[in-house]
Amino acid sequence: MNRPETSGWLPTSAKEMKALGWDAADVILFTGDAYVDHPSFGAAVIGRILEAAGLRVAIVPQPNWTDDLRDFKKLGEPRLFFGVTAGNMDSMVNHYTANRRRRSNDAYTPGGRAGARPDYASVVYTNILKKLYPDIPVVLGGIEASLRRLTHYDYWSDKLKPGILEESGADLLFYGMAEKSISEFARLVQRGVPVQSLTNIPQTAFMNPEGDSYATKADWETLEINSHEECLQDKKKFAANFRYIEEESNRWQAKKLVQQVGSRQIVVNPPWPPLSTKEIDKVYELPFTRMPHPRYDGKGAIPAYEMIRHSINIHRGCFGGCAFCTISAHQGKFVVSRSEKSVLREVEAVVDMPDFKGYISDVGGPSANMYRMEGKDLELCRQCKRPSCIYPSVCKNLETDHRPLTGLYQKVAGFPGVKKAFIGSGIRYDLAFNETGDAKKDEGNLEYLREVIRHHVSGRLKVAPEHTSGDVLNVMRKPSFELFRRLTTFFHSVNRKEGLKQQLIPYFISSHPGSKLEDMAELAAETKELDFKLEQVQDFTPTPMTVATVIYYSGYHPYTLEKVFVPRTEKEKLAQRKFFFWYKKEYRNSLKQELQRLNRPDLEKRLFDAEQQPAGNKRSQSKRKKPKKHHKRH
């Protein structure tokens, strides 16, 4: 395939900068990912945002931190500042499995090669830059920095860590989706405002010596949470903090959070209001090449890019509030949707790609079906602090009409050059089954499901019931398993009517806080009776800034401060995981012994009585690759 010259990308070397006639860059970005100039890669988005502001931006992808640090020196000093991100994933989630075993691959590196970034990449990169260039400001962004902005539990070191500003020494942290924050920061820095004075930009965090004054906004209320030292001494105080962190992260009119760390304070300014459709359209229509930098030619495919190269992201944010998920903590709970025109312009760009064969792999977002869903009365949303708009029930103020999304799917699928447009993102079937009282909307929601099943499934429809136990689902903030039963019936009904042979792929998590061994036995029996044999399911992985992780570490639910059972040991986790595979002969005897110990002959009969075993519906067998990024599941 013929590749454009490197001038289409932001420069990554001194040679490329020279070709552009630059003697120096205004901003140099360091990222733990390979440089893919695509709107799904954070460093590319920030680079293009700054470029659009008139700055000269260079990118150093995956610098070598183990040699003489030549990668950190090769572009010299930027005129304004360095930007650092670990990449699209937390580096520790990227590196380790739920059992803390180091992974043998990295989806964000050419050839899937492991070892191209350090553990705790944000801290390592920033420490190096601060040592080499003590007078140049360094700012942090990306999901690793965002979700570690305050005291957090780090599963891989098994301890509480202070906010990442303390360990990294960065001058400023941009949390969440940082387009507006970085634009405002760049505007002020270009005017000559010292970085240490930029303490009143929304959606940023900084460290301040205790007692020192700093610029802030008069209408921002302040909420001081338990100090890092108090959290170290008392797990309940750590748990109590999280309720306020989550609520203020997801409020339209939030308070400024302040946390004491030693003799200094971490100050987290409130987030910006949600982007408008016009603003998000502008981001996606920046001049991305949509391709990896030519420096990677001949070095192997970048797996994460291969997954999304022909996909379209139509919205961001998620109001699900799942206890194990970090999306609302990073992207926010308010969904921001692109316009149809913007989406179709991107479809045209994908169709024009030289390797496009007619198949769009995904038209979706964090959850596939939240497009154009927002509050009917936005004034109520501005006052709301619910972490989820759909748990424990769907908010009456939430617009759940799927008809605009159905219409968009049809336009994308009918676009010249498109043979098929698949929905690869997970679907919230509780939204599709939500009964609004409006007969046309309710039928439109069911018609959405029919449209997806008939025309947009690549043989497998992914959904995430996560568990079957009502108690566990309540901890997870997930809907009743009865809705999944309803979906199963609906899915097979549409398949029979249309003469299709497709699979329903349910995702489940074992060892989640609140899940007991008996709950997993029930899960095994329930899914067996629905004719599923689950494979390569997910163990719960504690990741920073989730309700479930706070419970895992502290043993307390942050909203009630009541104790919650947590399976922590390897023995407990393995015992739970075995129940996913009740049908494997090697587990049969040990599972029977567990059920006898639990005094549950009823479950033993449901799982192992030959007369009770289903004949086997191959269409419903769940066979999938183990998802690497479970924190993005819904």
Side-chain angles (χ1 to χ4, degrees), residues 281-300:
D281 281 355
K282 188 176 180 181
V283 171
Y284 280 89
E285 296 188 26
L286 291 166
F288 299 102
T289 65
R290 299 186 61 86
M291 300 170 72
H293 190 279
R295 65 187 284 147
Y296 305 120
D297 285 356
K299 295 183 179 180

Side-chain angles (χ1 to χ4, degrees), residues 67 74 169 194 396 404 534:
D67 59 6
K74 65 181 183 181
K396 299 291 185 184
L534 308 175

Side-chain angles (χ1 to χ4, degrees), residues 48-277:
R48 291 298 187 184
I49 288 280
L50 293 169
E51 179 190 50
L55 298 179
R56 294 178 171 183
V57 185
I59 292 183
V60 180
Q62 301 187 317
N64 190 331
W65 72 102
T66 63
D67 59 6
D68 59 3
L69 306 181
R70 67 189 66 180
D71 285 346
F72 292 86
K73 303 171 185 175
K74 65 181 183 181
L75 302 186
E77 295 185 5
R79 188 172 65 88
L80 297 176
F81 61 89
F82 289 110
V84 168
T85 173
N88 275 14
M89 290 178 68
D90 184 287
S91 59
M92 303 306 286
V93 178
N94 179 282
H95 282 170
Y96 296 94
T97 69
N99 293 321
R100 297 190 181 97
R101 293 191 181 93
R102 184 170 280 275
R103 298 184 192 276
S104 59
N105 55 16
D106 182 340
Y108 292 87
T109 302
R113 177 175 59 88
R117 80 187 82 210
D119 288 356
Y120 307 107
S122 298
V123 172
V124 172
Y125 293 164
T126 306
N127 286 168
I128 290 171
L129 290 169
K130 275 299 190 182
K131 185 175 181 179
L132 293 176
Y133 307 101
D135 298 325
I136 305 297
V138 181
V139 299
L140 270 180
I143 196 165
E144 179 169 277
S146 179
L147 301 182
R148 294 172 180 264
R149 57 188 181 261
L150 291 160
T151 295
H152 57 280
Y153 173 65
D154 181 72
Y155 175 63
W156 300 273
S157 61
D158 192 25
K159 66 181 181 181
L160 286 190
K161 285 179 170 282
I164 197 169
L165 285 167
E166 169 72 11
E167 291 192 309
S168 68
D171 295 280
L172 196 67
L173 184 153
F174 298 91
Y175 70 89
M177 307 300 277
E179 294 98 341
K180 292 187 76 169
S181 303
I182 198 72
S183 297
E184 178 68 1
F185 175 76
R187 182 183 71 83
L188 294 170
V189 170
Q190 286 183 88
R191 286 175 46 187
V193 181
V195 171
Q196 59 268 29
S197 300
L198 297 178
T199 55
N200 59 359
I201 299 175
Q203 216 160 304
T204 62
F206 60 93
M207 294 204 74
N208 192 64
E210 184 180 9
D212 282 14
S213 60
Y214 56 86
T216 189
K217 294 187 184 295
D219 60 342
W220 284 352
E221 295 182 45
T222 300
L223 175 62
E224 185 162 359
I225 61 176
N226 295 315
S227 72
H228 177 64
E229 287 71 24
E230 288 177 304
C231 292
L232 289 174
Q233 295 168 7
D234 188 339
K235 290 184 176 182
K236 187 177 282 191
K237 286 187 176 181
F238 169 68
N241 271 359
F242 188 79
R243 174 174 184 170
Y244 302 109
I245 294 170
E246 183 177 50
E247 287 179 346
E248 300 307 320
S249 296
N250 288 312
R251 291 186 70 176
W252 206 305
Q253 297 172 331
K255 296 176 182 175
K256 177 176 62 181
L257 297 176
V258 176
Q259 184 184 37
Q260 194 78 21
V261 182
S263 62
R264 298 195 294 170
Q265 295 174 323
I266 294 180
V267 181
V268 180
N269 289 334
W272 293 95
L275 294 181
S276 66
T277 293

Side-chain angles (χ1 to χ4, degrees), residues 235-385:
K235 290 184 176 182
K236 187 177 282 191
K237 286 187 176 181
F238 169 68
N241 271 359
F242 188 79
R243 174 174 184 170
Y244 302 109
I245 294 170
E246 183 177 50
E247 287 179 346
E248 300 307 320
S249 296
N250 288 312
R251 291 186 70 176
W252 206 305
Q253 297 172 331
K255 296 176 182 175
K256 177 176 62 181
L257 297 176
V258 176
Q259 184 184 37
Q260 194 78 21
V261 182
S263 62
R264 298 195 294 170
Q265 295 174 323
I266 294 180
V267 181
V268 180
N269 289 334
W272 293 95
L275 294 181
S276 66
T277 293
K278 184 177 180 180
E279 288 173 323
I280 194 171
D281 281 355
K282 188 176 180 181
V283 171
Y284 280 89
E285 296 188 26
L286 291 166
F288 299 102
T289 65
R290 299 186 61 86
M291 300 170 72
H293 190 279
R295 65 187 284 147
Y296 305 120
D297 285 356
K299 295 183 179 180
I302 300 169
Y305 171 67
E306 296 301 309
M307 288 178 63
I308 55 85
R309 66 190 305 162
H310 298 141
S311 68
I312 309 289
N313 195 341
I314 60 175
H315 57 87
R316 71 162 58 150
C318 179
F319 47 70
C322 298
F324 49 81
C325 181
T326 60
I327 287 178
S328 63
H330 186 64
Q331 293 192 9
K333 78 171 183 179
F334 296 103
V335 170
V336 180
S337 302
R338 297 171 63 187
S339 67
E340 272 195 2
K341 289 182 179 179
S342 176
V343 171
L344 293 175
R345 280 194 290 269
E346 187 172 359
V347 172
E348 183 177 13
V350 171
V351 169
D352 287 342
M353 292 176 71
D355 63 338
F356 183 68
K357 306 298 183 184
Y359 299 96
I360 292 178
S361 58
D362 188 22
V363 181
S367 284
N369 57 322
M370 291 185 180
Y371 182 70
R372 284 178 55 175
M373 293 188 184
E374 61 180 9
K376 300 168 188 173
D377 181 351
L378 291 180
E379 192 55 42
L380 293 178
C381 295
R382 290 186 177 93
Q383 306 303 320
C384 178
K385 60 180 183 179

Side-chain angles (χ1 to χ4, degrees), residues 406-625:
T406 304
L408 178 61
Y409 286 174
Q410 292 168 347
K411 289 178 182 177
V412 172
F415 198 90
V418 175
K419 297 177 182 177
K420 199 88 169 178
F422 298 114
I423 310 305
S425 303
I427 287 175
R428 290 295 307 228
Y429 51 87
D430 48 341
L431 283 173
F433 287 138
N434 180 49
E435 296 180 356
T436 66
D438 182 322
K440 289 185 178 180
K441 282 186 183 179
D442 292 349
E443 177 52 34
N445 291 354
L446 294 180
E447 183 56 34
Y448 164 80
L449 274 183
R450 294 188 194 99
E451 170 78 16
V452 169
I453 296 167
R454 287 191 303 237
H455 303 300
H456 304 285
V457 175
S458 181
R460 298 147 66 97
L461 176 63
K462 297 186 298 184
V463 292
E466 307 293 8
H467 217 286
T468 60
S469 161
D471 290 341
V472 180
L473 290 169
N474 280 334
V475 176
M476 290 179 162
R477 294 179 180 159
K478 294 288 290 186
S480 167
F481 191 67
E482 288 306 310
L483 281 178
F484 178 73
R485 290 180 176 277
R486 181 178 174 187
L487 175 69
T488 301
T489 301
F490 188 93
F491 179 81
H492 291 310
S493 173
V494 174
N495 271 274
R496 283 193 299 270
K497 185 175 180 180
E498 300 293 326
L500 300 170
K501 295 182 179 181
Q502 300 181 130
Q503 295 176 324
L504 187 62
I505 307 299
Y507 289 33
F508 291 95
I509 295 178
S510 61
S511 304
H512 191 279
S515 176
K516 299 177 182 177
L517 196 58
E518 197 165 347
D519 296 318
M520 292 302 299
E522 290 276 4
L523 185 155
E526 293 267 9
T527 54
K528 177 197 171 184
E529 288 161 2
L530 287 173
D531 207 1
F532 288 98
K533 287 184 178 178
L534 308 175
E535 295 189 4
Q536 296 185 346
V537 287
Q538 184 83 32
D539 284 344
F540 169 67
T541 303
T543 55
M545 201 170 279
T546 68
V547 174
T549 297
V550 171
I551 297 172
Y552 176 89
Y553 169 74
S554 71
Y556 297 99
H557 195 292
Y559 281 76
T560 64
L561 297 183
E562 293 178 353
K563 281 187 172 292
V564 177
F565 171 77
V566 178
R568 286 195 181 88
T569 68
E570 290 300 315
K571 183 178 179 181
E572 288 175 314
K573 292 179 180 180
L574 179 59
Q576 292 213 10
R577 184 179 176 81
K578 281 182 179 179
F579 274 105
F580 283 135
F581 308 113
W582 57 268
Y583 53 87
K584 293 190 175 183
K585 291 181 180 179
E586 62 265 34
Y587 294 145
R588 185 183 180 96
N589 289 336
S590 62
L591 291 179
K592 281 188 171 185
Q593 290 172 9
E594 289 286 5
L595 292 172
Q596 289 164 9
R597 185 180 64 81
L598 292 170
N599 194 26
R600 292 300 305 269
D602 57 319
L603 288 174
E604 185 178 355
K605 182 176 181 180
R606 288 168 67 187
L607 279 176
F608 299 114
D609 188 326
E611 293 180 0
Q612 298 295 318
Q613 292 189 37
N617 182 347
K618 293 183 179 180
R619 289 176 301 174
S620 66
Q621 304 300 295
S622 176
K623 296 182 179 179
R624 65 177 177 90
K625 294 182 179 179

